[in-house]
Amino acid sequence: MNEPRCMTDPAGDTLQDWLEEMSTFVRSIDKKHLLTVGLEGFYGPKNPKSLTVNPADWAALYGSDFVRNSNLPNIDFASAHIYPDHWFHEIEFEESVKFVSKWVRSHIDDGDRELKKPVVFTEFGYSNQNPNFHPSQRDRFFKTIFDEIYASARKNGAGAGSFVWQFFVGGMEEYNDDFGIVPWQRSSTYQLITEHSCRLAALRGLNQLKGSLRELCLQDK
């Protein structure tokens, strides 16, 4: 399940029933893996946050609702995506950063207060097709998200982690979109991602790490 929508039923009952059916079925055949929905994170028309947090009115019309969909008993953790440059047609970079910070805090707050579940930002990216794009903007975009997650995690809050869309290795350019990056091609981006990974790991104790992540995080200690 990834970015499910049902625009023929904006109220969300059709999608909710389907998510309940599918999550129950998957749980019945596999009890060893965590389940999530892969939501974009939009709030439905019955949620007050549809007016204060959604990027625009259209976001409440897709038949999904972050809180309602994530609150199903067989969903283990909540998920949300972050693509402000696709959600807004014209927005200055500074306004985009403000939106991202508010968006992340709102969903973590839902995890803490209503869902009582971890929240993972399972997709986010900053397009290199934006007017006047510079890689430093992507770094700041990433850092804004990372800092909000870490601020929650260090207090044992719902902020649980994130997945950048999308990482490549050299030679895979033909599969790229306007979000893909090869992290080590830009040292500041690679350092930002590494430091964030290691500081989250440190909250659980670096000595518990194994393999390459342990080696990476301990090399400067």
Side-chain angles (χ1 to χ4, degrees):
M1 295 181 283
N2 187 55
E3 297 190 348
R5 299 176 178 179
C6 184
M7 298 175 69
T8 58
D9 179 14
D13 295 335
T14 301
L15 181 58
Q16 183 74 359
D17 289 345
W18 183 78
L19 292 173
E20 183 171 10
E21 178 185 356
M22 290 297 101
S23 60
T24 300
F25 171 71
V26 173
R27 178 67 73 213
S28 73
I29 61 174
D30 184 352
K31 296 179 172 60
K32 295 184 178 181
H33 292 86
L34 299 177
L35 295 183
T36 193
V37 180
L39 291 166
E40 291 161 289
F42 301 138
Y43 296 99
K46 296 180 181 179
N47 192 313
K49 287 189 175 183
S50 67
L51 300 175
T52 60
V53 182
N54 273 356
D57 292 344
W58 53 259
L61 303 178
Y62 285 170
S64 64
D65 180 83
F66 173 74
V67 174
R68 185 185 184 194
N69 300 156
S70 301
N71 209 24
L72 289 167
N74 287 308
I75 297 301
D76 298 298
F77 66 94
S79 57
H81 297 171
I82 314 171
Y83 291 109
D85 40 8
H86 276 197
W87 296 345
F88 298 97
H89 293 297
E90 294 183 7
I91 185 172
E92 296 294 330
F93 178 71
E94 292 300 326
E95 290 302 312
S96 175
V97 171
K98 291 179 182 178
F99 168 80
V100 167
S101 184
K102 180 180 180 180
W103 181 260
V104 174
R105 287 198 305 268
S106 175
H107 289 77
I108 290 175
D109 184 66
D110 293 331
D112 286 328
R113 296 176 182 271
E114 296 195 54
L115 299 171
K116 310 299 182 184
K117 296 179 181 182
V119 178
V120 179
F121 295 89
T122 49
E123 277 189 38
F124 61 91
Y126 191 75
S127 173
N128 60 20
Q129 300 300 310
N130 286 314
N132 303 314
F133 169 80
H134 190 275
S136 63
Q137 295 174 322
R138 179 184 281 138
D139 285 353
R140 187 172 170 202
F141 174 78
F142 284 0
K143 188 176 188 303
T144 299
I145 297 167
F146 292 160
D147 286 350
E148 294 288 357
I149 293 170
Y150 180 71
S152 171
R154 69 184 301 190
K155 297 183 293 186
N156 292 316
S162 59
F163 303 139
V164 174
W165 181 268
Q166 58 181 326
F167 289 162
F168 286 101
V169 297
M172 296 183 65
E173 288 77 8
E174 64 178 299
Y175 303 104
N176 199 357
D177 55 18
D178 50 321
F179 296 103
I181 61 170
V182 179
W184 46 85
Q185 287 183 346
R186 180 174 170 82
S187 60
S188 62
T189 303
Y190 182 73
Q191 181 178 358
L192 182 66
I193 294 166
T194 300
E195 289 179 350
H196 176 63
S197 299
C198 292
R199 66 177 178 171
L200 282 181
L203 295 176
R204 297 292 179 262
L206 290 177
N207 290 332
Q208 298 181 28
L209 297 180
K210 298 180 181 180
S212 58
L213 182 59
R214 174 183 172 85
E215 181 180 346
L216 179 67
C217 294
L218 293 179
Q219 64 183 1
D220 294 326
K221 300 298 181 181

